[in-house]
Amino acid sequence: MDGLLLELVKVSRSFGATRALHELDLRLSPGRITAIVGENGAGKSTALRLCAGELAPDAGEVRVGGRALHPARPEEAIRRGVGLVHQHFMLVDGFTALENLVLGAEPMRGLRIDFAAARREACALAERTGLEVDFERRAGELTVGERQRLEILKVLYRRARAVLLDEPSAVLAPSEVGELYAALRRLADDGATVAVVTHRLDEVVRFCDEALVMRRGELAARTPLGAERPPELVAELTRAIMGREPPAPLGRPAAPDPGPEPVLELGGVELRDAAGRRLLDGISLALSAGEIVGVAGVDGNGQRELVRVCAGLERATAGTVRVGGRDPFAGVHPGPAAVRAARRAGLVVVHEDRQREELVLAASLGDNALLGDLGAGHDAERVARRLARFAVEPATPRLPAQALSGGNQQKLVLGRARDRQVRALVVSQPTRGVDVGTARRIQTALAEAAAAGAAVLCVSADLSELAALCHRIVVVRRGRIVCELPPDASEDAFGRAMLGVEAA
Amino acid sequence: MSSWLSMLPETLRISVPYACAAVAGVWAERSGVIHIGLEAVLLTSSFSSVAAAVASGSLLVGMLAGVLAGVVVSVGHALLVERARVDAVVSGVALNLLAYAATRLALRGLYDSASNSPSIAGFDLGPKGGDVGAMLARVLLDPVTLGAALVIAASPWLLARTRLGLRLRACGESPEAARSLGIDVVRTRVLALAISGAIGALGGVHLAFDQHRFESGMSAGRGFIALAAVVLSGWRAGRAALACLVFGALEALQIALQDVSGTSKATTLVQLLPYVATLVVLALGIGRAAAPRGLGQRVDDG
Ligand SMILES: Nc1ncnc2c1ncn2[C@@H]1O[C@H](COP(=O)(O)OP(=O)(O)O)[C@@H](O)[C@H]1O
Ligand SMILES: [Mg+2]
């Protein structure tokens, strides 16, 4: 594969009054994996979207292979060999994986799309790259990992020579992250230009060749990662990202004495889908006041359902959820009434998919901040407090929620949850897509909630987060708790439990 | 007795405008454009076909003019919605009202009539005679019906199997994803609406040629019944056409019942039959399939 150099030359780009990029100079070279790191809102996604022709620069030039990208449109970028995997998946949920793969570059046979040829090519591509996907399934039914792989395959199917990925690992389990980077390494070895936006600095140090640090729309630092990778590197990168000293390491609150009665208790919770399959298969857990329990597992093993049951969005087909000894869902229909019942009982839930379950993207930040508490009075104060809780940026209440970067959306959601009366807090992926500094603040807030007497159940794909935060961690597989591990168990032990492989 | 047997050709004849409009609705909405202006498409195409036929003396010219009018109205809707960013419902309502008023005005201007145009000849292919076989042959040999049957039958395949169909559905399901793959969402939607307009127009042309003239407001709500069929079918062309066939059968039944019962109060009730049936089916939520996910969504340009 020929290399394809991507350059941003003194590129500026604003959205209304927000200056996303300011005279940014960026160079992505072939044959290596370049990491792009920076706080939420630093302009990382904007930079990638400019490379992919989705945005046009206000000033400066985007160069692909030495020539200006003109016109600045996705079809031109694709034609020139640039492929972007978006932070939020760009899949047509109702289409099969195969249809998604060929969309826009369909092999034809007369008037018809030649799906047989497409399937052959897809399988060959999957085999060559080691990115396996069930091509006959609908995209909406694929696991997050599969969707991720499909997005990369889409880019490769279009013969991209530059592959840009926007926070690809945020949704993956540790084992999947390893596979992802292995596939990316093969591409880079083949001569492709690979760039990855990520907040996980351990990944950067382990898998990448170079780190570009962005701050406020500019390039703040360029760190080549040679053969020597001292452990201080992560701290150094953190400093560059934040522009100041990194936050103190998280202090886990001391494990509480088990009280006489658990605050949050799941008793044999079972959930079946319409076809009778068990999505949750007898989950039992008891959390005392002040306790933080982590839930680890490969995505799609019941975590989402567990959270939905706690929120009152699904009714457990068997078993109970109790808060302070009472079942808030007794005699309530699942849905809005149950959600209100949970909230009244002090059971506060934060879902993993903030765009689908937590926010009304077209509505204003102010309205979103009040969602669930409309009519409770003191609206302006409440909005200001919730936006300020984790410093949502920009904190302009009348802006639509979709104008926020992913990390800032998460800050809003958590600010709203923490502002409520909390006896038990169930959070899923609290720091997914959030920069290091903010992630630390969110984790600290969870620890504070526990210290103040709440029971905290935290579902996360980030093992280091669970290890730093939790008193104990349960591993789920196929809707069942397969084991409980102490927070200092090895990553290997977690990996084996999550995948169901016996210890060697 | 003959009135019962004649229900078959009657059903086919009555169903054509409904089915054309419904399939037109499917093409539009599968691409993501809300289209409640089907009445406007029917009305303008039936008027244009008659006016062109009267002026040229050729039914074929009339047919082409009708199709052209349908395309113009439909593409106009697409441009208003996708380029000028007018709300799709507002645009649809406005087009319906405008089409009604404009055709009335043109009737007045061209033919000095408030109600109808001069008569035109029909294609009148097929055997003469009043028996059911001859009636059926006449219905089936009608060029407009044939053309409509052809495009309706081809629609499910075109939408499912061709490049245009796939891209069009992608724009309807997830315009953002389509755009990120280099598909021009606006252009695809305009093209979809052009096809939609042409198919819907065949229904309008059929309506006028069947009556051998244009009558003010002759679409008589068929565009809305067709819209119900679109929803019922879960936005699937084949099923939408089938639903229209059932509706046509009910209307044929109602006409046959009228022949039997003569004129009485019961007749008025019987006339309600097809509409009541449609309401019941809609209310029961049969086929309450999800609408295209990106219906009514626009994409921003960089
Ligand atoms: N489509 C948009 N409309 C308005 N503001 C935007 C849009 N996209 C990005 N921004 C703003 O531009 C800045 C940079 O955003 P982004 O590139 O998404 O940051 P990052 O990916 O580094 O988190 C942020 O302040 C964000 O709010
Ligand atoms: Mg981003």
Side-chain angles (χ1 to χ4, degrees), chain A residues 218-293:
Chain A
E218 297 177 37
L219 188 67
R222 197 182 140 260
T223 314
L225 303 168
E228 291 283 297
R229 304 198 173 183
E232 309 84 79
L233 218 48
V234 169
E236 202 177 295
L237 281 173
T238 307
R239 227 178 344 261
I241 289 169
M242 302 186 66
R244 56 192 152 84
E245 279 306 302
L250 178 70
R252 179 186 11 229
D257 299 328
E261 193 170 76
V263 172
L264 175 64
E265 188 178 12
L266 305 177
V269 171
E270 183 188 288
L271 182 71
R272 293 169 189 246
D273 65 6
R277 275 174 306 186
R278 285 200 182 91
L279 302 174
L280 292 177
D281 192 2
I283 299 265
S284 292
L285 256 179
L287 282 73
S288 353
E291 194 176 24
I292 310 179
V293 175

Coordinates of all heavy atoms in Angstrom, one line a residue, chain A residues 218-293:
Chain A
E218 N -5.5 23.9 19.4 CA -4.2 24.0 18.9 C -3.4 22.8 19.2 O -3.8 22.0 20.1 CB -3.5 25.3 19.5 CG -4.2 26.6 19.1 CD -3.6 27.8 19.7 OE1 -2.3 27.8 19.8 OE2 -4.3 28.7 20.1
L219 N -2.2 22.6 18.5 CA -1.4 21.5 18.9 C -0.5 22.0 20.0 O 0.3 22.9 19.9 CB -0.5 21.2 17.7 CG 0.3 19.9 17.8 CD1 -0.6 18.7 17.9 CD2 1.3 19.8 16.7
A220 N -0.6 21.2 21.2 CA 0.1 21.7 22.4 C 1.4 20.9 22.5 O 2.4 21.5 23.0 CB -0.7 21.4 23.6
A221 N 1.5 19.7 22.0 CA 2.8 19.0 22.1 C 2.8 17.8 21.1 O 1.7 17.3 20.7 CB 2.9 18.4 23.5
R222 N 4.0 17.4 20.7 CA 4.1 16.3 19.8 C 5.1 15.4 20.5 O 6.3 15.8 20.7 CB 4.7 16.7 18.5 CG 4.5 15.7 17.4 CD 5.0 16.2 16.1 NE 5.6 15.0 15.5 CZ 6.9 14.8 15.5 NH1 7.8 15.6 16.0 NH2 7.4 13.6 15.0
T223 N 4.7 14.2 20.9 CA 5.6 13.3 21.7 C 5.8 12.0 20.9 O 4.9 11.2 20.8 CB 4.9 12.9 23.0 OG1 4.4 14.1 23.6 CG2 5.9 12.2 23.9
P224 N 7.0 11.8 20.3 CA 7.3 10.6 19.6 C 7.5 9.5 20.7 O 8.1 9.8 21.8 CB 8.6 10.8 18.9 CG 9.1 12.2 19.2 CD 8.2 12.8 20.3
L225 N 7.0 8.3 20.5 CA 7.1 7.3 21.5 C 8.1 6.3 20.9 O 7.8 5.5 20.1 CB 5.8 6.6 21.7 CG 4.7 7.6 22.2 CD1 3.3 7.0 22.1 CD2 4.9 8.1 23.6
G226 N 9.3 6.3 21.4 CA 10.4 5.5 20.9 C 10.3 4.1 21.6 O 9.3 3.7 22.2
A227 N 11.4 3.4 21.6 CA 11.5 2.1 22.2 C 11.4 2.2 23.7 O 10.8 1.4 24.4 CB 12.7 1.4 21.8
E228 N 12.0 3.3 24.2 CA 12.0 3.5 25.7 C 10.6 4.1 26.1 O 10.3 5.2 25.6 CB 13.1 4.5 26.0 CG 14.5 3.9 25.9 CD 14.8 3.0 27.1 OE1 14.8 3.5 28.2 OE2 15.0 1.8 26.8
R229 N 9.9 3.4 26.9 CA 8.6 4.0 27.3 C 8.5 4.0 28.8 O 7.9 3.1 29.4 CB 7.4 3.3 26.7 CG 7.6 3.3 25.2 CD 6.3 2.9 24.5 NE 6.6 3.1 23.0 CZ 5.7 3.0 22.1 NH1 4.5 2.6 22.4 NH2 6.0 3.1 20.8
P230 N 9.2 5.0 29.5 CA 9.2 5.0 31.0 C 7.8 5.2 31.5 O 6.9 5.8 30.8 CB 10.1 6.2 31.3 CG 10.0 7.1 30.1 CD 9.8 6.2 28.9
P231 N 7.6 4.7 32.7 CA 6.2 4.8 33.3 C 5.8 6.2 33.5 O 4.6 6.5 33.6 CB 6.3 4.0 34.7 CG 7.8 3.8 34.8 CD 8.5 3.9 33.5
E232 N 6.7 7.2 33.6 CA 6.3 8.6 33.8 C 5.6 9.2 32.6 O 5.0 10.2 32.7 CB 7.5 9.5 34.1 CG 8.5 9.1 35.1 CD 9.5 8.1 34.5 OE1 10.4 8.6 33.8 OE2 9.3 6.9 34.8
L233 N 5.6 8.4 31.5 CA 5.1 9.0 30.3 C 3.6 9.3 30.4 O 3.2 10.4 29.9 CB 5.3 7.9 29.2 CG 5.6 8.4 27.8 CD1 6.7 9.4 27.8 CD2 5.9 7.2 26.9
V234 N 2.9 8.5 31.1 CA 1.4 8.8 31.2 C 1.2 10.1 32.0 O 0.4 10.9 31.6 CB 0.7 7.6 32.0 CG1 -0.7 8.0 32.4 CG2 0.7 6.4 31.1
A235 N 2.0 10.3 33.0 CA 1.9 11.5 33.8 C 2.3 12.7 33.0 O 1.6 13.8 33.0 CB 2.7 11.5 35.1
E236 N 3.3 12.5 32.2 CA 3.8 13.6 31.3 C 2.7 14.0 30.3 O 2.4 15.2 30.1 CB 5.0 13.1 30.6 CG 6.0 14.1 30.0 CD 7.2 13.4 29.4 OE1 7.9 12.8 30.2 OE2 7.3 13.5 28.2
L237 N 2.1 13.0 29.7 CA 1.0 13.2 28.7 C -0.2 13.9 29.4 O -0.7 14.9 28.9 CB 0.5 11.9 28.1 CG 1.4 11.4 26.9 CD1 0.9 10.0 26.5 CD2 1.5 12.3 25.8
T238 N -0.5 13.5 30.6 CA -1.6 14.1 31.3 C -1.4 15.6 31.5 O -2.2 16.4 31.3 CB -1.8 13.4 32.7 OG1 -1.9 12.0 32.4 CG2 -3.0 13.9 33.4
R239 N -0.1 15.9 31.9 CA 0.3 17.3 32.1 C 0.1 18.1 30.9 O -0.5 19.2 30.9 CB 1.7 17.4 32.6 CG 1.9 18.3 33.8 CD 3.2 18.4 34.4 NE 4.2 17.4 34.0 CZ 4.5 16.3 34.8 NH1 3.9 16.1 35.9 NH2 5.4 15.4 34.4
A240 N 0.5 17.5 29.7 CA 0.4 18.2 28.5 C -1.0 18.4 28.1 O -1.4 19.5 27.6 CB 1.2 17.4 27.4
I241 N -1.8 17.4 28.3 CA -3.3 17.5 28.0 C -4.0 18.6 28.8 O -4.7 19.4 28.3 CB -3.9 16.2 28.2 CG1 -3.5 15.2 27.2 CG2 -5.5 16.3 28.2 CD1 -3.9 13.7 27.5
M242 N -3.7 18.6 30.1 CA -4.4 19.6 31.0 C -3.7 20.9 31.0 O -4.4 21.9 31.4 CB -4.5 19.0 32.4 CG -5.1 17.6 32.4 SD -5.4 17.1 34.1 CE -6.5 18.2 34.7
G243 N -2.5 21.0 30.6 CA -1.8 22.3 30.7 C -1.4 22.6 32.1 O -1.1 23.8 32.4
R244 N -1.5 21.7 33.0 CA -1.2 21.9 34.4 C -0.9 20.6 35.1 O -0.9 19.6 34.4 CB -2.2 22.7 35.2 CG -3.6 22.0 35.2 CD -4.7 23.0 35.7 NE -6.0 22.6 35.0 CZ -6.8 21.7 35.5 NH1 -6.4 21.0 36.6 NH2 -7.9 21.4 34.9
E245 N -0.7 20.6 36.4 CA -0.4 19.4 37.1 C -1.5 18.4 37.1 O -2.7 18.9 37.2 CB 0.0 19.7 38.6 CG 1.4 20.1 38.7 CD 2.4 19.2 38.1 OE1 2.4 18.0 38.5 OE2 3.2 19.5 37.2
P246 N -1.3 17.1 36.9 CA -2.4 16.2 36.9 C -3.0 16.1 38.2 O -2.4 16.4 39.3 CB -1.7 14.9 36.5 CG -0.2 15.1 36.7 CD 0.0 16.5 36.6
P247 N -4.3 15.7 38.3 CA -5.0 15.6 39.5 C -4.4 14.5 40.4 O -3.8 13.6 39.9 CB -6.4 15.2 39.1 CG -6.3 14.6 37.8 CD -5.1 15.3 37.1
A248 N -4.6 14.7 41.7 CA -4.1 13.7 42.6 C -4.8 12.3 42.3 O -6.0 12.3 41.9 CB -4.4 14.1 44.1
P249 N -4.1 11.2 42.6 CA -4.8 9.9 42.4 C -6.0 9.8 43.2 O -6.1 10.4 44.3 CB -3.7 8.9 42.7 CG -2.6 9.7 43.4 CD -2.7 11.1 43.0
L250 N -6.9 9.0 42.7 CA -8.2 8.9 43.4 C -8.1 8.2 44.7 O -7.4 7.1 44.8 CB -9.1 8.1 42.5 CG -10.5 7.8 43.0 CD1 -11.3 9.0 43.0 CD2 -11.2 6.8 42.1
G251 N -8.6 8.7 45.8 CA -8.6 8.0 47.0 C -9.9 7.3 47.2 O -11.0 7.9 47.3
R252 N -9.8 5.9 47.2 CA -11.0 5.2 47.4 C -11.5 5.3 48.8 O -10.7 5.2 49.8 CB -10.7 3.7 47.1 CG -11.9 2.8 47.3 CD -11.7 1.3 47.1 NE -10.3 1.0 47.1 CZ -9.7 0.2 46.2 NH1 -10.4 -0.3 45.2 NH2 -8.4 -0.1 46.2
P253 N -12.8 5.6 49.1 CA -13.2 5.7 50.5 C -13.0 4.3 51.1 O -13.1 3.3 50.5 CB -14.7 6.1 50.4 CG -15.1 5.7 49.0 CD -13.9 5.7 48.1
A254 N -12.8 4.3 52.4 CA -12.6 3.1 53.2 C -13.9 2.2 53.0 O -15.0 2.8 53.0 CB -12.3 3.4 54.6
A255 N -13.6 0.9 53.0 CA -14.8 0.0 52.9 C -15.7 0.2 54.1 O -15.1 0.2 55.2 CB -14.3 -1.4 52.8
P256 N -16.9 0.3 54.0 CA -17.8 0.6 55.1 C -18.1 -0.8 55.8 O -17.9 -1.8 55.3 CB -19.1 1.1 54.5 CG -19.1 0.4 53.1 CD -17.7 0.3 52.7
D257 N -18.5 -0.7 57.1 CA -18.9 -1.9 57.8 C -20.3 -2.3 57.2 O -21.1 -1.4 56.9 CB -19.1 -1.6 59.3 CG -17.8 -1.1 59.9 OD1 -16.8 -1.6 59.5 OD2 -17.9 -0.3 60.8
P258 N -20.4 -3.5 56.9 CA -21.7 -3.9 56.4 C -22.8 -3.6 57.4 O -22.7 -4.0 58.5 CB -21.6 -5.4 56.2 CG -20.3 -5.9 56.8 CD -19.5 -4.6 57.1
G259 N -23.8 -2.8 57.0 CA -24.9 -2.4 57.9 C -25.8 -3.6 58.1 O -25.6 -4.6 57.5
P260 N -26.7 -3.4 59.0 CA -27.7 -4.5 59.3 C -28.5 -4.8 58.0 O -28.9 -5.9 57.8 CB -28.6 -3.9 60.4 CG -28.4 -2.4 60.3 CD -27.0 -2.2 59.7
E261 N -28.8 -3.8 57.2 CA -29.6 -4.0 56.1 C -29.0 -3.4 54.8 O -28.6 -2.2 54.9 CB -31.0 -3.4 56.3 CG -32.1 -3.8 55.4 CD -33.4 -3.4 55.8 OE1 -33.7 -2.2 55.7 OE2 -34.2 -4.2 56.3
P262 N -28.9 -4.1 53.7 CA -28.4 -3.5 52.5 C -29.3 -2.3 52.0 O -30.5 -2.3 52.2 CB -28.3 -4.6 51.5 CG -29.3 -5.6 52.0 CD -29.4 -5.5 53.5
V263 N -28.6 -1.3 51.4 CA -29.3 -0.2 50.8 C -30.0 -0.6 49.5 O -31.1 -0.3 49.2 CB -28.4 1.0 50.6 CG1 -29.1 2.1 49.9 CG2 -27.9 1.5 52.0
L264 N -29.1 -1.3 48.7 CA -29.6 -1.7 47.4 C -29.5 -3.2 47.3 O -28.4 -3.7 47.6 CB -28.8 -1.0 46.2 CG -29.1 -1.5 44.8 CD1 -30.6 -1.1 44.5 CD2 -28.2 -0.9 43.8
E265 N -30.6 -3.9 47.0 CA -30.5 -5.3 47.0 C -31.2 -5.9 45.7 O -32.4 -5.6 45.5 CB -31.2 -5.9 48.2 CG -31.0 -7.4 48.4 CD -31.6 -7.9 49.7 OE1 -32.4 -7.2 50.3 OE2 -31.4 -9.1 50.0
L266 N -30.4 -6.6 45.0 CA -31.0 -7.3 43.8 C -31.2 -8.8 44.3 O -30.2 -9.4 44.7 CB -30.1 -7.3 42.6 CG -29.7 -5.8 42.2 CD1 -28.8 -5.9 41.0 CD2 -30.9 -5.0 41.8
G267 N -32.4 -9.3 44.2 CA -32.7 -10.7 44.6 C -33.1 -11.5 43.5 O -34.2 -11.5 43.0
G268 N -32.2 -12.3 42.9 CA -32.5 -13.3 41.9 C -33.2 -12.6 40.7 O -34.1 -13.2 40.1
V269 N -32.7 -11.5 40.2 CA -33.3 -10.7 39.1 C -33.1 -11.5 37.8 O -32.0 -11.8 37.4 CB -32.7 -9.3 39.0 CG1 -33.3 -8.6 37.7 CG2 -33.1 -8.5 40.2
E270 N -34.2 -11.7 37.2 CA -34.2 -12.4 35.9 C -35.0 -11.6 34.9 O -36.0 -11.0 35.2 CB -34.9 -13.8 36.1 CG -34.8 -14.7 34.9 CD -35.7 -15.9 35.1 OE1 -35.2 -16.8 35.8 OE2 -36.7 -16.0 34.5
L271 N -34.5 -11.6 33.7 CA -35.2 -10.9 32.6 C -35.1 -11.7 31.3 O -34.1 -12.1 30.9 CB -34.5 -9.5 32.4 CG -35.2 -8.6 31.3 CD1 -36.6 -8.1 31.8 CD2 -34.3 -7.4 30.9
R272 N -36.3 -11.9 30.8 CA -36.3 -12.7 29.5 C -36.8 -11.8 28.4 O -37.6 -10.9 28.6 CB -37.3 -13.9 29.6 CG -36.8 -14.9 30.5 CD -38.0 -15.9 30.7 NE -37.7 -16.8 31.8 CZ -37.5 -18.2 31.6 NH1 -37.6 -18.6 30.4 NH2 -37.2 -19.0 32.6
D273 N -36.3 -12.0 27.2 CA -36.8 -11.2 26.1 C -38.1 -11.9 25.5 O -38.5 -12.9 26.0 CB -35.7 -11.0 25.0 CG -35.3 -12.3 24.3 OD1 -36.0 -13.3 24.6 OD2 -34.4 -12.3 23.5
A274 N -38.6 -11.3 24.5 CA -39.9 -11.8 23.9 C -39.7 -13.3 23.5 O -40.7 -14.1 23.6 CB -40.3 -10.9 22.7
A275 N -38.5 -13.6 23.1 CA -38.3 -15.0 22.6 C -38.1 -16.0 23.8 O -37.8 -17.2 23.5 CB -37.2 -15.1 21.6
G276 N -38.1 -15.4 25.0 CA -37.9 -16.3 26.1 C -36.4 -16.5 26.5 O -36.1 -17.2 27.4
R277 N -35.5 -15.8 25.8 CA -34.1 -16.0 26.2 C -33.8 -15.2 27.4 O -34.4 -14.1 27.7 CB -33.2 -15.4 25.0 CG -32.9 -16.5 24.0 CD -32.1 -15.8 22.8 NE -32.9 -14.6 22.4 CZ -32.5 -13.9 21.3 NH1 -31.4 -14.1 20.7 NH2 -33.3 -12.8 21.0
R278 N -32.9 -15.8 28.3 CA -32.6 -15.1 29.5 C -31.5 -14.0 29.3 O -30.4 -14.4 29.0 CB -32.1 -16.1 30.6 CG -33.2 -16.9 31.1 CD -32.7 -17.5 32.4 NE -33.8 -18.4 33.0 CZ -33.8 -19.7 32.7 NH1 -32.9 -20.2 31.9 NH2 -34.8 -20.4 33.2
L279 N -31.9 -12.8 29.4 CA -30.9 -11.7 29.3 C -30.2 -11.5 30.6 O -29.1 -11.2 30.7 CB -31.6 -10.4 28.8 CG -32.3 -10.6 27.5 CD1 -33.1 -9.3 27.1 CD2 -31.4 -10.9 26.4
L280 N -31.1 -11.6 31.7 CA -30.5 -11.6 33.0 C -30.9 -12.9 33.7 O -32.1 -13.3 33.6 CB -31.1 -10.4 33.9 CG -30.6 -9.0 33.4 CD1 -31.3 -8.0 34.3 CD2 -29.1 -8.9 33.5
D281 N -30.0 -13.6 34.3 CA -30.3 -14.9 34.8 C -30.0 -15.0 36.3 O -28.9 -15.6 36.7 CB -29.4 -15.9 33.9 CG -29.8 -17.3 34.1 OD1 -30.8 -17.5 34.8 OD2 -29.2 -18.2 33.5
G282 N -30.9 -14.5 37.1 CA -30.7 -14.7 38.5 C -29.6 -13.8 39.1 O -28.7 -14.4 39.7
I283 N -29.6 -12.5 38.9 CA -28.6 -11.7 39.5 C -28.9 -11.3 40.9 O -30.0 -10.8 41.2 CB -28.5 -10.3 38.7 CG1 -28.1 -10.6 37.2 CG2 -27.6 -9.4 39.4 CD1 -26.7 -10.5 36.9
S284 N -28.0 -11.7 41.8 CA -28.3 -11.3 43.2 C -27.1 -10.5 43.7 O -25.9 -11.0 43.6 CB -28.4 -12.6 44.1 OG -29.6 -13.2 43.7
L285 N -27.3 -9.4 44.3 CA -26.3 -8.5 44.8 C -26.8 -7.7 46.0 O -28.0 -7.3 45.9 CB -25.9 -7.5 43.7 CG -24.6 -7.7 42.9 CD1 -24.6 -6.6 41.9 CD2 -23.4 -7.7 43.8
A286 N -26.0 -7.5 47.0 CA -26.5 -6.6 48.1 C -25.4 -5.6 48.4 O -24.2 -5.9 48.5 CB -26.7 -7.5 49.3
L287 N -25.8 -4.4 48.4 CA -24.8 -3.3 48.6 C -25.2 -2.5 49.9 O -26.3 -2.1 50.0 CB -24.8 -2.2 47.4 CG -24.1 -2.6 46.2 CD1 -24.9 -3.7 45.4 CD2 -23.9 -1.3 45.3
S288 N -24.2 -2.4 50.8 CA -24.5 -1.6 52.0 C -24.3 -0.2 51.7 O -23.7 0.2 50.7 CB -23.6 -2.1 53.2 OG -22.8 -3.2 52.8
A289 N -24.7 0.6 52.7 CA -24.5 2.1 52.6 C -23.0 2.3 52.5 O -22.2 1.8 53.2 CB -25.1 2.8 53.8
G290 N -22.6 3.2 51.5 CA -21.2 3.6 51.4 C -20.4 2.6 50.6 O -19.2 2.8 50.4
E291 N -21.0 1.6 50.1 CA -20.2 0.6 49.3 C -20.2 0.9 47.8 O -21.3 1.3 47.3 CB -20.8 -0.8 49.6 CG -19.8 -1.9 49.2 CD -20.3 -3.3 49.5 OE1 -21.6 -3.4 49.7 OE2 -19.5 -4.2 49.6
I292 N -19.1 0.7 47.2 CA -19.0 0.8 45.7 C -18.7 -0.5 45.1 O -17.7 -1.1 45.4 CB -17.9 1.8 45.3 CG1 -18.1 3.1 46.1 CG2 -18.0 2.1 43.8 CD1 -17.0 4.2 45.7
V293 N -19.7 -1.0 44.3 CA -19.5 -2.4 43.7 C -19.4 -2.2 42.2 O -20.2 -1.5 41.6 CB -20.6 -3.3 44.1 CG1 -20.5 -4.6 43.3 CG2 -20.7 -3.5 45.6

